[in-house]
Amino acid sequence: MIRKSAFITGVNGQDGAYLARFLLDDGYEVHGMVRRASMQRNDRIADIARHIHLHYGDMTDAGNLLRLIKNVAPQEVYNLAAQSHVQVSFDTPEYTANVDALGTLRLLEAIRILDMQDDCRFYQASSSELFGNSHAAVQNEQTPFAPASPYAAAKLYAYWLVRNYREAYGLHASNGILFNHESPLRGDEFVSQKIACAAAAVKRGEDTMLTLGNLDSRRDWGHAKDYVRGMWLMLQQDKPDDYVLATGRAETVRWFVEKAFECVGINIEWRGTGLDETGFCVASGRPLVAVDPRFYRPVDVGHLCGDASKARKALGWDAAVKLETMIEEMVSAQMSKQ
Ligand code: NAP
Ligand code: F7E
């Protein structure tokens, strides 16, 4: 039997690691692109690295991407590589645009120049950040976009390019408009992992204080392993399209803190407001959580909650992992780290 081949940019990121496992389990020949100067090395894929064909590459290097696509000749390309941190995008807007927006253009151009549009399907990691502060209570594929960061603006450019290459050149290219998804492999600087890490540290007896920005922000958090299945499903359809993947449930950052600390047997009580808001351990009275304006963003997206009806109907996709279960998994993974 001929094995299908897939090429994943950002293979050593959170989603890349889950997707590579998913595709290997399905019998794919998996190729992944990593940077020589990777920020996180290949820790997330250490256990499967020998089964993946790893290639050095960078989204900022057009010739490199063209050579890789030519040599690998994949049937499926999953473009997951990105400067993915929203707050960092305010500090590095041009770099974020280069990687997230122009990087996607370079990859699509490689497929077009090589005349591979009939042989290769393309998945683009679009984001719920496209909706920004659209003020819709629930967002779906029809909700107008209102990007509120350089990251979101770069992802919006990539989103439209994907649609344009689909219409102009007949490329089977799909956007997955994914709401936040987390896991034990989530980067340390994202709020879910930061909270899980702090809850575990307090449980271990460390003298630590969790400092956060906007506690009122509401996010629709799912589990990465559900979301990579959705990416794959999009590329198995006869026709390319754009799909929202989400759980349909939004909670605040404050709520996430309470649940994560509950996982280690600590109840949090909040006192004060704004910059003075502090989370105390109910049992000991010890302050455990404080607000630090350094983590405020110049503009924040206050409320994201997705409607994945289209993906449920067309792809048969659903978010299987419950939020509370995922938080327990993340805290427990942090507890087992020293
Ligand atoms: P992640 O953990 O931050 O992974 C990003 C990957 O991109 C890493 O492997 C990183 O490699 C790579 N990368 C960064 N800059 C690169 C460059 N210039 N050239 C090549 N590779 C580069 O992100 P994730 O959570 O897995 O997300 C995957 C994708 O989905 C991203 O595009 C993200 O923007 C998007 N997305 C994520 C979510 C979410 O909630 N997780 C939701 C919607 C959309 P290094 O080790 O070299 O840094
Ligand atoms: O922030 C608030 C912060 O950085 C979530 C990326 O995967 O999902 C992710 O982007 C919320 C924001 O994720 C802290 O202001 C409070 O409102 O975990 P985050 P994000 O910005 O939603 C989307 C869908 C993507 O596409 C992105 O690639 O939490 N928040 N205090 C904090 N956030 C962080 N990081 N750190 C804090 O201390």
Side-chain angles (χ1 to χ4, degrees):
M1 200 178 84
I2 299 169
R3 292 170 82 196
K4 261 190 168 180
S5 65
F7 178 69
I8 307 173
T9 69
V11 72
N12 60 347
Q14 170 188 256
D15 291 3
Y18 277 98
L19 180 65
R21 275 180 187 78
F22 177 89
L23 295 175
L24 286 172
D25 287 347
D26 205 43
Y28 275 71
E29 178 180 300
V30 176
H31 293 258
M33 189 177 88
V34 289
R35 286 194 288 181
R36 180 75 184 89
S38 168
M39 281 171 15
Q40 59 232 344
R41 303 187 315 273
N42 292 339
D43 297 354
R44 292 185 178 113
I45 50 170
D47 56 326
I48 50 168
R50 67 183 192 285
H51 302 298
I52 305 177
H53 302 265
L54 291 176
H55 307 268
Y56 285 128
D58 199 296
M59 296 303 289
T60 60
D61 187 333
N64 158 264
L65 292 174
L66 185 96
R67 274 194 304 279
L68 284 176
I69 294 292
K70 181 168 186 267
N71 293 341
V72 173
Q75 282 137 315
E76 296 177 8
V77 171
Y78 294 87
N79 183 31
L80 308 186
Q83 190 303 94
S84 68
H85 202 281
V86 175
Q87 185 166 13
V88 170
S89 79
F90 287 100
D91 299 325
T92 61
E94 186 180 334
Y95 175 72
T96 301
N98 195 7
V99 176
D100 299 10
L102 293 180
T104 306
L105 172 67
R106 293 180 186 109
L107 206 46
L108 288 166
E109 272 294 273
I111 294 169
R112 185 174 77 94
I113 291 165
L114 294 166
D115 209 12
M116 284 174 59
Q117 55 270 31
D118 294 333
D119 311 310
C120 177
R121 296 183 173 193
F122 189 88
Y123 172 84
Q124 170 60 16
S126 286
S127 164
S128 53
E129 285 292 309
L130 298 181
F131 299 120
N133 286 311
S134 69
H135 302 299
V138 177
Q139 298 93 20
N140 65 20
E141 295 80 2
Q142 266 72 54
T143 307
F145 296 131
S149 64
Y151 168 79
K155 284 284 185 179
L156 186 60
Y157 175 88
Y159 168 91
W160 280 113
L161 267 185
V162 164
R163 293 188 61 142
N164 183 242
Y165 275 62
R166 182 159 88 206
E167 285 156 22
Y169 309 116
L171 179 64
H172 191 298
S174 296
N175 282 293
I177 307 171
L178 271 48
F179 282 64
N180 296 55
H181 46 279
E182 323 293 311
S183 73
L185 299 185
R186 188 54 142 154
D188 295 339
E189 65 285 359
F190 295 93
V191 79
S192 60
Q193 191 71 293
K194 198 171 155 182
I195 296 169
C197 179
V202 170
K203 179 66 180 173
R204 279 197 296 269
E206 289 174 29
D207 182 17
T208 181
M209 175 78 107
L210 170 61
T211 50
L212 295 170
N214 184 1
L215 297 171
D216 293 316
S217 181
R218 291 166 70 85
R219 287 290 183 275
D220 178 332
W221 281 290
H223 196 299
K225 76 178 169 203
D226 283 336
Y227 289 57
V228 301
R229 190 177 68 252
M231 297 174 187
W232 174 80
L233 280 168
M234 288 177 213
L235 296 204
Q236 310 317 306
Q237 306 308 304
D238 288 343
K239 291 202 166 68
D241 207 340
D242 307 318
Y243 300 92
V244 160
L245 298 187
T247 70
R249 167 184 176 188
E251 302 289 355
T252 62
V253 170
R254 188 183 292 98
W255 179 92
F256 200 111
V257 171
E258 290 166 11
K259 291 297 153 195
F261 278 86
E262 272 174 28
C263 293
V264 294
I266 294 171
N267 290 321
I268 298 282
E269 177 189 33
W270 301 96
R271 287 184 228 153
T273 55
L275 280 173
D276 294 326
E277 185 165 359
T278 307
F280 292 87
C281 168
V282 171
S284 68
R286 176 183 155 195
L288 294 175
V289 192
V291 174
D292 184 334
R294 278 187 305 135
F295 300 111
Y296 284 159
R297 296 171 183 185
V299 184
D300 200 8
V301 174
H303 172 89
L304 287 174
C305 183
D307 166 15
S309 308
K310 179 176 170 183
R312 269 199 300 277
K313 193 159 175 255
L315 308 177
W317 179 86
D318 218 342
V321 181
K322 203 174 160 222
L323 177 54
E324 284 82 352
T325 310
M326 185 190 74
I327 297 174
E328 275 166 31
E329 187 189 344
M330 291 181 74
V331 174
S332 148
Q334 287 292 342
M335 286 296 298
S336 57
K337 285 185 189 168
Q338 280 313 309

